[in-house]
């Protein structure tokens, strides 16, 4: 979130940034390749204090943005950066981007970029599993914005991504357990012994002593 800014104050800050003392800072940057842009990135945890600071500055100027960062109406130049550090204790990272280099911005980190020469920007938004909770919190921050605001639309779709990822994971787990052979550590099941044949009936014993004794006359 953040950018170059489109207000008159932001344009003046960008002009002063290049023609003022920051031009000397650019000349001291060592490296190979032409410098195309200057970046400022702040930690995501500092976003509430940065937003409160910019809201105060907007009030001093008689402006009332819907959101001081998401409206992209500020460029935090050298004077504002020094004031931000003094009043809020917030400092960011400032670096240059040269031709052929890419910049990765973690989710939720306010940032701004100043092109110091003609540039073509190629940007790609993505959602990583590690930053899904922060993307969801950003979605909650965009919700109160006016309906016509360009940030009110869910551009990343983290909830849809999470739902599809969970569905895919459950499908893969189901297929895995369906075709998985029995685990080697499980003891083999014992087969029931075959049924024994019924015992062969024995003939009845001979009846003895049932005849009357013979007597002589």
């Amino acid at each position: 979130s953040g950018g170059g800014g489109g207000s008159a104050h932001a344009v003046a800050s960008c002009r002063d940034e290049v023609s003022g003392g920051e031009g000397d800072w650019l000349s001291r940057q060592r490296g190979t390749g032409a410098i195309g842009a200057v970046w400022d990135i702040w930690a995501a945890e500092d976003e509430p204090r940065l937003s409160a600071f910019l809201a105060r500055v907007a009030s001093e100027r008689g402006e009332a943005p819907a959101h001081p960062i998401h409206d992209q109406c500020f460029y935090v130049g050298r004077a504002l950066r020094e004031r931000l550090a003094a009043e809020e204790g917030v400092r960011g990272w400032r670096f240059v981007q040269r031709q052929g280099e890419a910049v990765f911005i973690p989710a939720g980190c306010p940032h701004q970029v100043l092109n110091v020469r003609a540039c073509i920007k190629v940007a790609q938004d993505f959602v990583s599993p590690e930053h899904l909770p922060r993307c969801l919190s950003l979605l909650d921050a965009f919700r109160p914005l006016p309906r016509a605001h360009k940030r009110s639309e869910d551009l990343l779709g983290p909830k849809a991504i999470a739902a599809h990822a969970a569905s895919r994971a459950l499908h893969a787990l189901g297929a895995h357990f369906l075709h998985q052979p029995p685990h080697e550590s499980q003891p083999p099941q014992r087969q029931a012994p075959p049924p024994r044949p019924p015992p062969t009936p024995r003939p009845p014993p001979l009846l003895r002593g049932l005849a009357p004794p013979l007597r002589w006359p």
Side-chain angles (χ1 to χ4, degrees):
S1 54
S7 68
H9 292 287
V11 174
S13 297
C14 293
R15 188 182 300 112
D16 295 340
E17 195 82 356
V18 177
S19 61
E22 293 301 315
D24 297 335
W25 179 83
L26 288 175
S27 64
R28 294 194 302 268
Q29 302 305 306
R30 299 179 179 180
T32 58
I35 297 177
V38 180
W39 287 84
D40 291 282
I41 298 181
W42 291 270
E45 294 76 13
D46 293 334
E47 185 274 333
R49 289 186 291 174
L50 177 60
S51 296
F53 170 77
L54 294 179
R56 290 199 307 270
V57 175
S59 178
E60 295 170 1
R61 297 176 179 177
E63 302 175 356
H67 194 282
I69 293 180
H70 301 320
D71 282 15
Q72 298 183 354
C73 57
F74 278 100
Y75 181 83
V76 186
R78 181 177 182 179
L80 286 181
R81 290 196 302 272
E82 293 176 352
R83 182 179 168 185
L84 174 63
E87 296 182 10
E88 298 290 343
V90 174
R91 298 181 182 273
W93 294 271
R94 186 169 177 82
F95 57 91
V96 298
Q97 181 183 13
R98 301 180 183 274
Q99 182 178 2
E101 294 180 342
V103 175
F104 170 77
I105 303 171
C109 291
H111 58 276
Q112 64 181 12
V113 57
L114 172 64
N115 295 333
V116 297
R117 64 178 66 246
C119 298
I120 298 177
K121 182 184 77 169
V122 179
Q124 177 64 44
D125 296 330
F126 69 97
V127 177
S128 63
E130 294 81 6
H131 290 95
L132 182 59
R134 185 160 289 170
C135 292
L136 293 174
S137 64
L138 282 176
L139 186 62
D140 294 335
F142 295 156
R143 188 173 291 111
L145 297 176
R147 188 179 298 273
H149 199 281
K150 58 183 177 181
R151 288 288 184 178
S152 62
E153 182 181 358
D154 183 10
L155 301 177
L156 294 178
K159 292 184 178 180
I161 293 176
H164 285 290
S167 176
R168 180 63 181 173
L170 292 175
H171 177 76
L173 287 174
H176 173 73
F177 286 111
L178 183 63
H179 299 90
Q180 187 180 21
H183 199 276
E184 296 180 357
S185 62
Q186 296 179 354
Q189 296 182 356
R190 296 181 178 180
Q191 297 182 355
R196 295 181 179 181
T200 305
R202 296 181 179 179
L206 297 178
L207 298 179
R208 297 178 180 179
L210 296 182
L214 296 179
R215 292 181 181 181
W216 296 99

